[in-house]
Every structure is written in structure tokens, then in C-alpha cells.
Amino acid sequence: MAPKKVVLRFSADIADQPMIYKLVKDYDLVINILKANVNPQKEGTMVMDIAGEQIEAGINYLRSVGVGVQSLTEEIIQDEERCTSCGSCTAICPSGALYIERPDMSVRFDSDRCVICHLCLTACPVRAMEVRF
Ligand code: SF4
Ligand code: SF4
């Protein structure tokens, strides 16, 4: 089966479980973690490539233990023309993909750090953050 790129979302109560170990050991999957933002005390997100013959079984396992699994076929973009650098999104972005650049205090977007949580889409008052499929 072709590799699949997915984003995982963990709640705090399951963030410390050895899920990646089980994917490798029990489902014989090859995992390539592309981005991770996991804290045992908080919700976490992880973006990864999964390869192997038992991808669907592995994803079903993740869902059975309460992990949100979303196929990564979308990306977040920032409309720099529309952005007013108000900073609202930087406070809620969990991965640091949206950050304030000094000294001009403009808000920048680093797509490599984005975990596609969608929080900035609703936080932005001028709809400068968009999702593209
Ligand atoms: S979707 Fe928005 S809030 Fe979420 S990680 Fe990406 S830039 Fe940050
Ligand atoms: S909330 Fe919107 S307008 Fe404000 S800094 Fe973020 S992207 Fe720019």
C-alpha cells in the first residue's frame, strides 16, 4: 500500500501511551515523523508518513484508543496581503507556525511547522488564514 501522510491529535490523557511503538511492533508499519508537538500534560499533534501493508489496521488501532486521525491532503496558507499582523493567531497556534517577527512585529507563517489544527482559521478576524485542498 502507498505511504499515507496523516495528522494525529492526542488528548492529554492518552499522550503518554506507546502508540508509535505499537504501530511498528504490532502492525509492522514504517513511521516517519515529520512534525510533532506532544506534551504529556497537554493535547498534542503529530504529522507522519505511514508505510506498510497494515496501514488501515494501524489507523483503526489509533482511533480505538482515542487518537484523532486525519488524512493530510490539505494545507494552510496565509494571505499576506490580508493579514494585519494583529497577533490574534500567534496566541493560539500550538506549533509556533505563526509567530511575531521583530523588530517590525509582523506576523509570519512557517508552513513547515504547521500541524493543520485549523485553530487560526477561526481566530483570524480578517480571514487571512485559509485552508487549501
Ligand atoms: S493550522 Fe494555524 S493554528 Fe494550527 S498549527 Fe497551522 S498555523 Fe498554527
Ligand atoms: S489573526 Fe489573521 S490578521 Fe491577525 S496576525 Fe493572524 S493571520 Fe494576521
Side-chain angles (χ1 to χ4, degrees), residues 86 88-89 92 118-127:
C86 70
S88 298
C89 56
I92 53 92
H118 290 195
L119 291 176
C120 57
L121 300 181
T122 49
C124 179
V126 297
R127 306 229 180 276

Side-chain angles (χ1 to χ4, degrees), residues 87-98:
S88 298
C89 56
T90 61
I92 53 92
C93 178
S95 67
L98 286 157

Side-chain angles (χ1 to χ4, degrees), residues 26-38:
D26 294 355
Y27 298 95
D28 200 23
L29 296 175
V30 177
I31 306 297
N32 181 20
I33 297 174
L34 304 172
K35 306 172 193 172
N37 178 40
V38 182

